[in-house]
Amino acid sequence: MEKKKFTDSGIEINSLYEPAEGNINREIPGKYPFTRGIRTDMYRSKLWTMRQYAGFSTAGESNKRYHYLLSQGVSGLSVAFDLPTQIGYDSDHILSDGEVGKVGVAIDSIRDMEELFAGISLENITTSMTINATGFILLAFYVALAKKQGADLKKISGTVQNDILKEYAARGTYIYPPRPSMRIITDIFEWCGNELPKWNTISISGYHIREAGSSAVQEIAFTLANGKAYVKAAIEKGLNINIFGKRLSFFFNAHNNLFEEVAKFRAARRMWAQIMKDLGATDPQAMMLRFHAQTGGSTLTAQQPANNIARVTIQALSAIFGGTQSLHTNGYDEALGLPTEEAAGLALRTQQIIGFESGVTDTVDPLGGSYFVESLTNSVEEAAWDLIRKIEEMGGSVAAIEQGFIQNEIAKSAYDYQIKVENKEKIIIGVNAFESNEKDLTKVFRIDDSIRKIQSEKLAVLRRERDPAKCDQILQLLNDHASSGENLMPTVIKAVESNCTLGEIADTLREVFGEYKG
């Protein structure tokens, strides 16, 4: 008897797909519901934005990597921040010990931001910042720096991740409880709509949900449910869905199961178009799901790390076949440590070879019309809608997170996957099959603990040189505005321009909103 085959989400795969009503797609790219892509010509006229996620140590060291990547042909920057920056602690805080500059760059003040982008015109580059709980503060640093550079804020473009719901569900770098956090996010929507019209105000992230162990179906179901919660919160604030809807973006993971990943991206676009239409959007641009993709960090293996080059190539192809607008490819050495310059360069070359040599960009939605891909797109969509309906019955994403539903579903999926790996139902080359006893000689890039001392000394100088009375005054104003419900962004920008630190701003709001304990 033939053994049954399944995708990683548990969808059964037939041995052969033939024409059927459900797997013939006559939709047009660039038209609602955008299953086949958000532009009629896709990559024929313009390739996706090639980003390489980078940030480590001090702002000065990260700036050197950015200049290297720009010289090698990246078309957009993507900033990684260290854990203290992500959860609102200055580098000299006791809880920052051992973490400063380790998984990203340490940013404590506007001075660090100036150093991070030294020699880079913010008006002429798009920047993605992977930051959530303190996303509003990092955006304020970025805006303050742009103003210093004399940039036209109407021309500044980029993205702040700003997706706090997935932090409660999957990642853990939250500060405030869900409801005040949602208020901060809609403040960003409102302020950017008036002052920073080309800025993507949120990147609703399935990436970290997938890294925590979800399936492909769960990734889009939970991500789109979170997106729906943000849209509803913005509508309740009185914002126009046809305006803020155009600046919403998404961030998805790209894993090894090529066809399921392509189906996932296509299904997500169709589903989001329907969600936005049902919520009242009438402008097609407000119904488009635009997304950045990153290859799967959790799929990288420390064993035989050179194998990761092949994995990343397959994953990058899935994102491109799936119609991504922006892509980061992981370095082959990232299961061991931060990527070396050589590994980051090779990861970028992977994108460039696909884009300029492979021919996959010559036609729109090249896998569209495949009986298998169209059927699988429908199956992924159907399974994702089932999950979204369960979340809606609980009262939406915030309620589902508060009840632990989403967290438990991810945990069960991660457990099931690990059991399959241990039982060799799921083969991972170099891990549970085709192992090697040869010693691995891959160089590992590590950050030492001296960075905290450097950052602490810079903070001490800043505090000596700034006007303390002015800082106290603006932080009190921030406290008042947080209590009164006034939009926080103008006051936070004034605070960073007055040399208040990230930790001081975050602590001021801790006093008003409290901290989420999970």
Coordinates of all heavy atoms in Angstrom, one line a residue, residues 212-291:
A212 N 8.7 30.0 16.6 CA 8.3 29.4 17.9 C 7.7 28.0 17.7 O 7.5 27.3 18.7 CB 7.3 30.3 18.6
G213 N 7.5 27.6 16.5 CA 7.1 26.2 16.3 C 5.8 26.0 15.6 O 5.3 24.9 15.5
S214 N 5.1 27.1 15.1 CA 3.9 26.9 14.4 C 4.0 26.2 13.1 O 5.1 26.1 12.5 CB 3.2 28.3 14.2 OG 3.7 28.9 13.1
S215 N 2.9 25.7 12.5 CA 2.9 25.2 11.2 C 2.7 26.4 10.2 O 2.4 27.6 10.6 CB 1.8 24.2 11.0 OG 0.5 24.9 11.1
A216 N 2.8 26.2 8.9 CA 2.5 27.2 7.9 C 1.1 27.7 8.0 O 0.8 28.9 7.9 CB 2.8 26.7 6.5
V217 N 0.1 26.8 8.2 CA -1.3 27.2 8.3 C -1.5 28.1 9.6 O -2.1 29.2 9.5 CB -2.2 26.0 8.4 CG1 -3.6 26.3 8.9 CG2 -2.3 25.3 7.0
Q218 N -0.9 27.7 10.7 CA -1.0 28.5 11.9 C -0.4 29.8 11.7 O -0.9 30.9 12.2 CB -0.4 27.7 13.1 CG -1.2 26.5 13.6 CD -0.4 25.7 14.6 OE1 0.8 25.7 14.6 NE2 -1.1 25.1 15.5
E219 N 0.8 29.9 11.0 CA 1.5 31.1 10.8 C 0.6 32.2 10.2 O 0.4 33.3 10.7 CB 2.7 30.9 10.0 CG 3.5 32.2 9.7 CD 4.6 32.0 8.7 OE1 4.9 30.8 8.3 OE2 5.2 33.0 8.3
I220 N -0.1 31.8 9.1 CA -0.9 32.8 8.5 C -2.2 33.1 9.2 O -2.7 34.2 9.3 CB -1.2 32.6 7.0 CG1 -1.9 31.3 6.7 CG2 0.1 32.7 6.2 CD1 -2.4 31.1 5.3
A221 N -2.8 32.0 9.8 CA -4.1 32.2 10.6 C -3.9 33.2 11.7 O -4.6 34.1 11.9 CB -4.6 30.9 11.1
F222 N -2.8 32.9 12.5 CA -2.6 33.8 13.7 C -2.2 35.2 13.3 O -2.6 36.2 13.9 CB -1.6 33.1 14.6 CG -2.0 31.8 15.2 CD1 -1.0 30.8 15.6 CD2 -3.3 31.5 15.3 CE1 -1.4 29.6 16.1 CE2 -3.7 30.2 15.8 CZ -2.8 29.3 16.2
T223 N -1.4 35.3 12.3 CA -0.9 36.6 11.8 C -2.1 37.4 11.3 O -2.2 38.6 11.6 CB 0.2 36.4 10.7 OG1 1.2 35.6 11.2 CG2 0.7 37.8 10.3
L224 N -2.9 36.8 10.4 CA -4.0 37.6 9.9 C -5.0 37.9 11.0 O -5.7 39.0 10.9 CB -4.7 36.8 8.7 CG -3.8 36.5 7.5 CD1 -4.6 35.8 6.4 CD2 -3.1 37.8 7.0
A225 N -5.2 37.1 11.9 CA -6.1 37.4 13.0 C -5.6 38.6 13.8 O -6.3 39.4 14.3 CB -6.3 36.1 13.9
N226 N -4.3 38.6 14.1 CA -3.6 39.7 14.7 C -3.8 41.0 13.9 O -4.2 42.1 14.4 CB -2.2 39.5 14.9 CG -1.9 38.5 16.0 OD1 -2.8 38.1 16.8 ND2 -0.6 38.0 16.1
G227 N -3.6 40.9 12.6 CA -3.8 42.0 11.7 C -5.3 42.6 11.8 O -5.5 43.8 11.8
K228 N -6.2 41.7 11.8 CA -7.6 42.1 12.0 C -7.8 42.9 13.3 O -8.6 43.9 13.3 CB -8.5 40.9 11.9 CG -10.0 41.2 11.8 CD -10.8 39.9 11.6 CE -12.3 40.2 11.5 NZ -13.1 39.0 11.2
A229 N -7.2 42.4 14.3 CA -7.3 43.1 15.6 C -6.7 44.5 15.6 O -7.3 45.5 16.1 CB -6.6 42.3 16.7
Y230 N -5.6 44.7 14.9 CA -5.0 46.0 14.7 C -5.9 46.9 13.9 O -6.1 48.1 14.3 CB -3.7 45.9 14.1 CG -2.6 45.3 14.9 CD1 -1.9 44.2 14.4 CD2 -2.3 45.7 16.2 CE1 -0.9 43.6 15.1 CE2 -1.3 45.1 16.9 CZ -0.6 44.0 16.4 OH 0.4 43.4 17.1
V231 N -6.5 46.4 12.9 CA -7.4 47.2 12.0 C -8.6 47.6 12.8 O -9.1 48.8 12.7 CB -7.8 46.4 10.7 CG1 -8.9 47.2 10.0 CG2 -6.6 46.2 9.9
K232 N -9.2 46.7 13.6 CA -10.4 47.1 14.4 C -10.1 48.1 15.4 O -10.9 49.1 15.6 CB -10.9 45.8 15.1 CG -11.7 44.9 14.2 CD -12.3 43.7 15.0 CE -13.3 42.9 14.2 NZ -13.9 41.8 15.0
A233 N -8.9 48.0 16.0 CA -8.5 49.0 17.0 C -8.3 50.4 16.4 O -8.7 51.4 16.9 CB -7.2 48.6 17.7
A234 N -7.8 50.4 15.1 CA -7.6 51.7 14.4 C -8.9 52.3 14.0 O -9.1 53.5 14.1 CB -6.7 51.5 13.2
I235 N -9.9 51.4 13.6 CA -11.2 51.9 13.2 C -11.9 52.5 14.5 O -12.5 53.6 14.4 CB -12.0 50.8 12.6 CG1 -11.5 50.4 11.2 CG2 -13.5 51.2 12.5 CD1 -12.1 49.2 10.6
E236 N -11.8 51.8 15.6 CA -12.4 52.3 16.9 C -11.8 53.7 17.3 O -12.4 54.5 17.9 CB -12.2 51.3 18.0 CG -13.1 50.0 17.8 CD -12.7 48.9 18.8 OE1 -11.9 49.2 19.7 OE2 -13.2 47.8 18.6
K237 N -10.5 53.9 16.9 CA -9.9 55.2 17.2 C -10.4 56.3 16.2 O -10.0 57.5 16.4 CB -8.4 55.0 17.1 CG -7.5 56.2 17.7 CD -6.1 55.9 17.5 CE -5.2 57.0 18.1 NZ -5.1 56.9 19.6
G238 N -11.1 55.9 15.2 CA -11.7 56.9 14.3 C -10.8 57.1 13.0 O -11.0 58.0 12.3
L239 N -9.9 56.2 12.8 CA -9.0 56.3 11.6 C -9.7 55.7 10.4 O -10.5 54.8 10.5 CB -7.6 55.6 11.9 CG -6.9 56.0 13.1 CD1 -5.5 55.3 13.2 CD2 -6.7 57.6 13.1
N240 N -9.3 56.2 9.2 CA -9.9 55.8 8.0 C -9.1 54.6 7.4 O -8.0 54.6 7.1 CB -9.8 57.0 7.0 CG -10.5 56.7 5.7 OD1 -10.6 55.5 5.2 ND2 -10.9 57.7 5.0
I241 N -9.9 53.4 7.3 CA -9.3 52.2 6.8 C -8.6 52.3 5.5 O -7.6 51.7 5.2 CB -10.3 51.1 6.9 CG1 -9.6 49.7 6.7 CG2 -11.4 51.3 5.9 CD1 -10.6 48.5 6.9
N242 N -9.2 53.2 4.6 CA -8.6 53.3 3.3 C -7.3 54.1 3.3 O -6.6 54.1 2.3 CB -9.6 54.0 2.3 CG -10.7 53.1 1.9 OD1 -10.5 51.9 1.6 ND2 -12.0 53.5 2.0
I243 N -7.0 54.8 4.4 CA -5.7 55.5 4.5 C -4.7 54.7 5.2 O -3.7 54.3 4.7 CB -6.0 56.9 5.2 CG1 -6.8 57.8 4.3 CG2 -4.6 57.5 5.5 CD1 -7.2 59.1 4.9
F244 N -5.0 54.3 6.5 CA -4.0 53.5 7.3 C -3.8 52.1 6.7 O -2.8 51.5 6.8 CB -4.3 53.5 8.8 CG -5.5 52.6 9.2 CD1 -5.3 51.2 9.3 CD2 -6.7 53.1 9.4 CE1 -6.3 50.3 9.6 CE2 -7.8 52.2 9.8 CZ -7.6 50.9 9.9
G245 N -4.9 51.6 6.0 CA -4.8 50.3 5.4 C -3.7 50.1 4.4 O -3.1 49.0 4.2
K246 N -3.4 51.2 3.7 CA -2.3 51.2 2.7 C -0.9 51.1 3.3 O 0.0 50.8 2.6 CB -2.4 52.5 1.8 CG -3.7 52.6 1.1 CD -3.7 54.0 0.3 CE -5.0 54.2 -0.4 NZ -5.1 55.5 -1.0
R247 N -0.8 51.4 4.6 CA 0.6 51.4 5.2 C 0.8 50.2 6.1 O 1.8 50.1 6.8 CB 0.8 52.7 6.0 CG 0.7 54.0 5.2 CD 1.2 54.0 3.8 NE 2.6 53.5 3.7 CZ 3.2 53.2 2.6 NH1 2.5 53.4 1.4 NH2 4.4 52.8 2.5
L248 N -0.1 49.2 6.1 CA 0.0 48.0 6.8 C 0.9 47.1 6.0 O 0.7 46.9 4.7 CB -1.3 47.3 7.1 CG -2.4 48.2 7.8 CD1 -3.6 47.3 8.0 CD2 -1.9 48.6 9.2
S249 N 1.8 46.4 6.6 CA 2.7 45.4 5.9 C 2.8 44.1 6.8 O 2.4 44.2 7.9 CB 4.0 45.9 5.6 OG 4.8 46.2 6.7
F250 N 3.3 43.1 6.1 CA 3.4 41.8 6.8 C 4.8 41.2 6.7 O 5.6 41.7 5.9 CB 2.4 40.8 6.3 CG 0.9 41.1 6.6 CD1 0.2 42.1 5.9 CD2 0.3 40.4 7.6 CE1 -1.1 42.4 6.3 CE2 -1.0 40.7 8.0 CZ -1.7 41.7 7.3
F251 N 5.1 40.3 7.6 CA 6.4 39.7 7.7 C 6.3 38.2 7.9 O 5.8 37.8 8.9 CB 7.2 40.4 8.9 CG 8.6 39.8 9.1 CD1 9.3 39.1 8.2 CD2 9.1 40.0 10.4 CE1 10.6 38.6 8.5 CE2 10.4 39.5 10.7 CZ 11.1 38.8 9.7
F252 N 6.6 37.5 6.9 CA 6.4 36.0 6.9 C 7.7 35.2 6.9 O 8.8 35.8 6.4 CB 5.5 35.5 5.8 CG 4.1 36.0 5.9 CD1 3.5 36.7 4.9 CD2 3.3 35.6 7.0 CE1 2.2 37.1 5.0 CE2 2.0 36.0 7.1 CZ 1.4 36.7 6.1
N253 N 7.7 34.0 7.3 CA 8.8 33.1 7.3 C 8.8 32.3 6.0 O 7.7 32.1 5.4 CB 8.6 32.1 8.5 CG 10.0 31.7 9.1 OD1 10.9 31.3 8.4 ND2 10.1 31.7 10.4
A254 N 9.9 31.8 5.6 CA 10.0 31.0 4.4 C 10.7 29.7 4.8 O 11.9 29.8 5.1 CB 10.7 31.7 3.2
H255 N 10.1 28.6 4.8 CA 10.6 27.3 5.2 C 10.9 26.4 4.0 O 10.9 26.8 2.9 CB 9.7 26.6 6.2 CG 10.0 27.0 7.7 ND1 9.9 26.2 8.7 CD2 10.3 28.2 8.2 CE1 10.2 26.8 9.8 NE2 10.4 28.1 9.5
N256 N 11.3 25.2 4.3 CA 11.8 24.3 3.3 C 10.8 23.6 2.4 O 11.1 23.2 1.3 CB 12.7 23.1 4.0 CG 13.9 23.7 4.6 OD1 14.5 24.6 4.1 ND2 14.4 23.1 5.7
N257 N 9.6 23.5 2.9 CA 8.5 22.8 2.1 C 8.1 23.7 1.0 O 7.1 24.5 1.1 CB 7.4 22.3 3.0 CG 6.5 21.3 2.3 OD1 6.1 21.5 1.1 ND2 6.1 20.3 3.0
L258 N 8.7 23.7 -0.1 CA 8.6 24.7 -1.2 C 7.2 25.0 -1.6 O 6.8 26.2 -1.6 CB 9.4 24.3 -2.4 CG 9.4 25.2 -3.6 CD1 10.2 26.5 -3.3 CD2 10.0 24.5 -4.8
F259 N 6.4 24.0 -1.9 CA 5.1 24.2 -2.5 C 4.1 24.7 -1.4 O 3.2 25.5 -1.7 CB 4.6 23.0 -3.2 CG 5.4 22.7 -4.4 CD1 6.3 21.6 -4.5 CD2 5.4 23.5 -5.6 CE1 7.0 21.3 -5.6 CE2 6.1 23.2 -6.7 CZ 7.0 22.1 -6.7
E260 N 4.2 24.1 -0.2 CA 3.3 24.6 0.9 C 3.6 26.1 1.2 O 2.7 26.9 1.4 CB 3.5 23.8 2.1 CG 2.5 24.2 3.2 CD 2.5 23.4 4.4 OE1 3.6 23.0 4.9 OE2 1.4 23.1 4.9
E261 N 4.9 26.5 1.2 CA 5.2 27.9 1.4 C 4.7 28.8 0.3 O 4.1 29.8 0.6 CB 6.7 28.1 1.5 CG 7.4 27.3 2.7 CD 6.8 27.8 4.1 OE1 7.0 29.0 4.4 OE2 6.1 27.1 4.7
V262 N 4.8 28.4 -0.9 CA 4.2 29.2 -2.0 C 2.7 29.3 -1.8 O 2.1 30.4 -1.9 CB 4.6 28.6 -3.4 CG1 3.8 29.3 -4.5 CG2 6.1 28.6 -3.6
A263 N 2.1 28.2 -1.6 CA 0.6 28.2 -1.3 C 0.2 29.1 -0.2 O -0.8 29.8 -0.2 CB 0.1 26.8 -1.1
K264 N 1.0 29.1 0.9 CA 0.8 29.9 2.1 C 0.8 31.4 1.7 O -0.1 32.1 2.1 CB 1.9 29.6 3.1 CG 1.8 30.5 4.4 CD 3.0 30.3 5.2 CE 4.2 31.1 4.7 NZ 5.4 30.9 5.5
F265 N 1.8 31.8 1.0 CA 1.8 33.3 0.6 C 0.7 33.7 -0.3 O 0.1 34.7 -0.1 CB 3.2 33.5 -0.1 CG 4.4 33.3 0.7 CD1 5.4 32.5 0.2 CD2 4.5 33.8 2.0 CE1 6.6 32.3 1.0 CE2 5.7 33.6 2.7 CZ 6.7 32.8 2.2
R266 N 0.3 32.8 -1.2 CA -0.8 33.1 -2.1 C -2.1 33.1 -1.4 O -3.0 34.0 -1.5 CB -0.9 32.1 -3.3 CG 0.4 32.0 -4.1 CD 0.4 30.9 -5.1 NE -0.2 31.3 -6.4 CZ -1.3 30.9 -6.9 NH1 -2.0 30.0 -6.2 NH2 -1.7 31.3 -8.0
A267 N -2.3 32.2 -0.4 CA -3.6 32.1 0.4 C -3.7 33.3 1.3 O -4.7 33.9 1.4 CB -3.6 30.8 1.2
A268 N -2.5 33.8 1.9 CA -2.5 34.9 2.8 C -3.0 36.2 2.1 O -3.8 36.9 2.6 CB -1.2 35.1 3.4
R269 N -2.6 36.4 0.8 CA -3.0 37.6 0.1 C -4.5 37.6 -0.1 O -5.2 38.6 0.1 CB -2.3 37.7 -1.2 CG -1.0 38.5 -1.2 CD -0.6 38.8 -2.6 NE -0.3 37.6 -3.4 CZ 0.9 37.0 -3.4 NH1 1.9 37.4 -2.7 NH2 1.0 35.9 -4.2
R270 N -5.0 36.4 -0.6 CA -6.4 36.3 -0.8 C -7.3 36.5 0.4 O -8.3 37.2 0.4 CB -6.7 35.0 -1.5 CG -8.1 34.8 -2.0 CD -8.2 33.7 -3.1 NE -8.0 32.4 -2.6 CZ -7.6 31.4 -3.3 NH1 -7.4 31.5 -4.6 NH2 -7.4 30.1 -2.8
M271 N -6.8 35.9 1.5 CA -7.6 36.0 2.8 C -7.6 37.5 3.3 O -8.6 38.0 3.8 CB -6.9 35.1 3.8 CG -7.1 33.6 3.5 SD -6.2 32.5 4.6 CE -7.1 32.7 6.1
W272 N -6.4 38.1 3.2 CA -6.3 39.5 3.8 C -7.2 40.4 3.0 O -7.9 41.3 3.5 CB -4.9 40.0 3.8 CG -4.8 41.4 4.4 CD1 -4.4 42.5 3.8 CD2 -5.0 41.7 5.8 NE1 -4.4 43.5 4.7 CE2 -4.8 43.1 5.9 CE3 -5.4 40.9 6.9 CZ2 -4.9 43.7 7.2 CZ3 -5.6 41.6 8.1 CH2 -5.3 43.0 8.2
A273 N -7.2 40.3 1.6 CA -8.1 41.1 0.8 C -9.6 41.0 1.2 O -10.3 41.9 1.3 CB -7.9 40.7 -0.7
Q274 N -10.0 39.7 1.6 CA -11.3 39.5 2.0 C -11.6 40.1 3.4 O -12.6 40.7 3.6 CB -11.6 38.0 2.1 CG -13.0 37.6 2.5 CD -14.0 38.0 1.4 OE1 -13.9 37.7 0.3 NE2 -15.0 38.8 1.9
I275 N -10.6 40.0 4.3 CA -10.7 40.5 5.6 C -10.9 42.0 5.6 O -11.8 42.6 6.2 CB -9.5 40.2 6.5 CG1 -9.6 38.7 6.9 CG2 -9.5 41.0 7.8 CD1 -8.3 38.2 7.5
M276 N -10.1 42.7 4.8 CA -10.1 44.2 4.7 C -11.4 44.6 4.0 O -12.0 45.6 4.4 CB -8.9 44.7 3.9 CG -7.6 44.6 4.7 SD -7.6 45.5 6.2 CE -7.2 47.2 5.6
K277 N -11.9 43.9 3.0 CA -13.1 44.2 2.3 C -14.3 44.1 3.3 O -15.2 45.0 3.4 CB -13.4 43.3 1.1 CG -14.6 43.7 0.3 CD -14.7 42.8 -0.9 CE -15.9 43.2 -1.8 NZ -16.0 42.4 -3.0
D278 N -14.3 43.0 4.1 CA -15.4 42.8 5.1 C -15.3 43.9 6.2 O -16.4 44.2 6.8 CB -15.2 41.5 5.8 CG -15.5 40.3 4.8 OD1 -16.1 40.6 3.7 OD2 -15.2 39.2 5.1
L279 N -14.2 44.5 6.5 CA -14.1 45.5 7.5 C -14.4 46.9 7.0 O -14.3 47.9 7.7 CB -12.7 45.5 8.1 CG -12.4 44.3 9.0 CD1 -10.9 44.2 9.4 CD2 -13.2 44.3 10.3
G280 N -14.6 47.0 5.7 CA -15.1 48.3 5.1 C -14.1 48.9 4.1 O -14.4 50.0 3.6
A281 N -13.0 48.3 3.8 CA -12.1 48.9 2.8 C -12.7 48.9 1.4 O -13.3 47.9 1.0 CB -10.8 48.2 2.8
T282 N -12.6 50.0 0.7 CA -13.1 50.1 -0.6 C -11.9 50.4 -1.6 O -12.1 50.1 -2.8 CB -14.1 51.2 -0.8 OG1 -13.6 52.4 -0.3 CG2 -15.4 50.8 0.0
D283 N -10.8 50.9 -1.1 CA -9.7 51.2 -2.0 C -8.9 49.9 -2.2 O -8.4 49.3 -1.2 CB -8.8 52.3 -1.4 CG -7.7 52.8 -2.3 OD1 -7.1 52.0 -3.0 OD2 -7.3 54.0 -2.2
P284 N -8.7 49.4 -3.4 CA -7.9 48.2 -3.6 C -6.5 48.2 -2.9 O -6.1 47.1 -2.5 CB -7.8 48.1 -5.1 CG -8.9 48.9 -5.7 CD -9.1 50.0 -4.7
Q285 N -5.9 49.3 -2.9 CA -4.5 49.4 -2.3 C -4.6 49.1 -0.8 O -3.6 48.7 -0.2 CB -3.9 50.7 -2.5 CG -3.5 50.9 -4.0 CD -2.5 52.1 -4.2 OE1 -2.4 53.0 -3.3 NE2 -1.9 52.2 -5.3
A286 N -5.7 49.4 -0.2 CA -5.9 49.1 1.3 C -6.2 47.6 1.5 O -6.2 47.2 2.7 CB -7.0 50.0 1.9
M287 N -6.5 46.9 0.5 CA -6.8 45.5 0.6 C -5.6 44.6 0.2 O -5.6 43.4 0.4 CB -7.9 45.1 -0.3 CG -9.2 45.9 -0.1 SD -10.5 45.3 -1.3 CE -11.6 46.8 -1.3
M288 N -4.5 45.2 -0.3 CA -3.3 44.4 -0.7 C -2.5 44.0 0.5 O -2.3 44.8 1.4 CB -2.4 45.3 -1.6 CG -2.9 45.7 -2.9 SD -1.7 46.7 -3.7 CE -2.5 47.0 -5.3
L289 N -2.1 42.7 0.5 CA -1.2 42.2 1.5 C 0.2 42.3 0.9 O 0.6 41.6 0.0 CB -1.5 40.8 1.9 CG -0.7 40.2 3.0 CD1 -1.5 39.1 3.8 CD2 0.6 39.5 2.5
R290 N 1.0 43.3 1.4 CA 2.4 43.5 1.0 C 3.2 42.9 2.1 O 3.0 43.1 3.3 CB 2.7 45.0 0.9 CG 1.9 45.7 -0.2 CD 2.1 47.2 -0.2 NE 1.6 47.8 1.1 CZ 2.4 48.4 1.9 NH1 3.7 48.5 1.7 NH2 1.9 48.9 3.1
F291 N 4.3 42.1 1.7 CA 5.0 41.4 2.8 C 6.5 41.3 2.5 O 7.0 41.3 1.4 CB 4.4 40.0 3.0 CG 4.7 38.9 2.0 CD1 5.8 38.1 2.2 CD2 3.9 38.8 0.9 CE1 6.1 37.1 1.2 CE2 4.2 37.8 -0.1 CZ 5.3 36.9 0.1

